[in-house]
Amino acid sequence: MSEQPPYLRIADELRQRIAEHVWEPGDRLPSRAQIGQECGVGENVVRRAQELLISQGVLEGRAGSGTYVAEPRERVRVVRSSAREQSSGSPFRQDMKALRRQSDWESRTDAKVPSPAEIASRLGIAEGELCVRTTYEFLADGKPVQLSTSWEPYAVTGGTLVVLPEGGPHAGAGVVNRMAAIGVTISHAVEQPEPRHATAEEASLLGIQKAALVTHIRRTYYSDEGRPVETADIVVPAAHCEVVYEIPISR
């Protein structure tokens, strides 16, 4: 069995000190040089350990000031479920209601945006073909917990009452219900989650440290004819949210 990398050992040591109340929330940690000397490792090892704990929400870095023990923050449970997609209303709103949290979101829609190569590939259209792009910032008790950028082919919704996801009589109804309103039946969605580091823009919007860990979900909805009708990039901060999948069991 391989030996645990030194930075993971130091991360465990720092986490243990916090659990034993050697350091309390809001306390400033000793310098990396001091911690390294106490633990018999170099400053770079301590830096990697602290960066890991920052990405997990255990510590927080303050530019020009140092590293501090973060205030405890309950993680938001984000449920990905076929049952929730088929129900009326917003799945996000259902999640927040279950947690007794107030939910809201802010959005911006741009119509007739040329599709980038990756988005075009996911939607099965030619690069540059026009799409409706909507960016979302989802809030729990007024704090951002999720970002999403949605793309829909303009050829599917253009000229209909649902062309604007957050406008018109079906505003905020969700992709499944909006598409049903124009005779498009969505049969399934494919999601591909993967961990990565937040971009500077994502970190700023989510109120997390630059390069903190996030879960990036690429989701695409398909019609019953097998046509992709919407694709989205969903970004969830790992330190503040846990992504849970409910899998239906047929009897």
Side-chain angles (χ1 to χ4, degrees):
M1 182 179 295
S2 59
E3 186 178 350
Q4 185 183 41
Y7 81 96
L8 291 181
R9 177 174 63 82
I10 301 306
D12 287 343
E13 172 66 24
L14 299 181
R15 194 182 288 109
Q16 183 66 26
R17 293 188 188 186
I18 295 169
E20 294 175 351
H21 303 286
V22 175
W23 300 318
E24 300 286 352
D27 285 352
R28 183 179 184 275
L29 268 62
S31 68
R32 290 174 183 167
Q34 183 177 340
I35 294 174
Q37 186 175 10
E38 291 178 5
C39 298
V41 296
E43 291 187 37
N44 284 339
V45 173
V46 178
R47 176 183 56 78
R48 288 192 65 189
Q50 290 182 344
E51 288 176 347
L52 174 63
L53 295 180
I54 288 172
S55 73
Q56 296 172 346
V58 177
L59 301 176
E60 64 178 42
R62 301 178 188 174
S65 179
T67 304
Y68 293 75
V69 179
E71 295 289 341
R73 181 173 175 180
E74 181 184 0
R75 296 179 82 200
V76 172
R77 186 181 178 92
V78 178
V79 179
R80 317 297 297 173
S81 164
S82 59
R84 294 194 177 219
E85 292 289 353
Q86 294 167 9
S87 65
S88 59
S90 162
F92 176 76
R93 183 160 285 164
Q94 293 180 57
D95 286 340
M96 296 305 102
K97 184 177 180 180
L99 293 171
R100 298 182 179 180
R101 294 192 175 198
Q102 183 178 354
S103 62
D104 197 6
W105 60 82
E106 299 175 358
S107 65
R108 174 183 172 179
T109 295
D110 297 297
K112 297 185 178 181
V113 177
S115 57
E118 182 190 353
I119 297 301
S121 176
R122 284 155 59 175
L123 290 173
I125 60 178
E127 181 179 354
E129 192 168 325
L130 298 181
C131 287
V132 177
R133 180 185 63 197
T134 305
T135 57
Y136 293 90
E137 182 178 341
F138 292 92
L139 310 171
D141 292 338
K143 296 181 179 180
V145 294
Q146 181 178 310
L147 304 175
S148 178
T149 302
S150 166
W151 299 78
E152 297 176 356
Y154 188 75
V156 174
T157 61
T160 73
L161 293 176
V162 302
V163 64
L164 301 178
E166 300 299 322
H170 301 282
V175 178
V176 175
N177 294 320
R178 286 178 46 253
M179 292 295 171
I182 58 173
V184 176
T185 301
I186 291 181
S187 62
H188 67 286
V190 174
E191 294 195 347
Q192 178 186 349
E194 64 180 10
R196 63 168 173 79
H197 294 289
T199 65
E201 181 181 8
E202 290 166 348
S204 177
L205 290 171
L206 290 168
I208 58 178
Q209 294 295 316
K210 184 179 179 180
L213 287 177
V214 296
T215 301
H216 178 188
I217 303 171
R218 293 180 177 87
R219 180 201 67 204
T220 303
Y221 282 112
Y222 293 84
S223 73
D224 56 359
E225 298 177 344
R227 179 181 183 179
V229 295
E230 189 264 5
T231 193
D233 291 285
I234 302 166
V235 178
V236 180
H240 300 158
C241 300
E242 59 178 358
V243 180
V244 178
Y245 283 83
E246 291 183 353
I247 301 174
I249 305 298
S250 301
R251 294 183 181 275

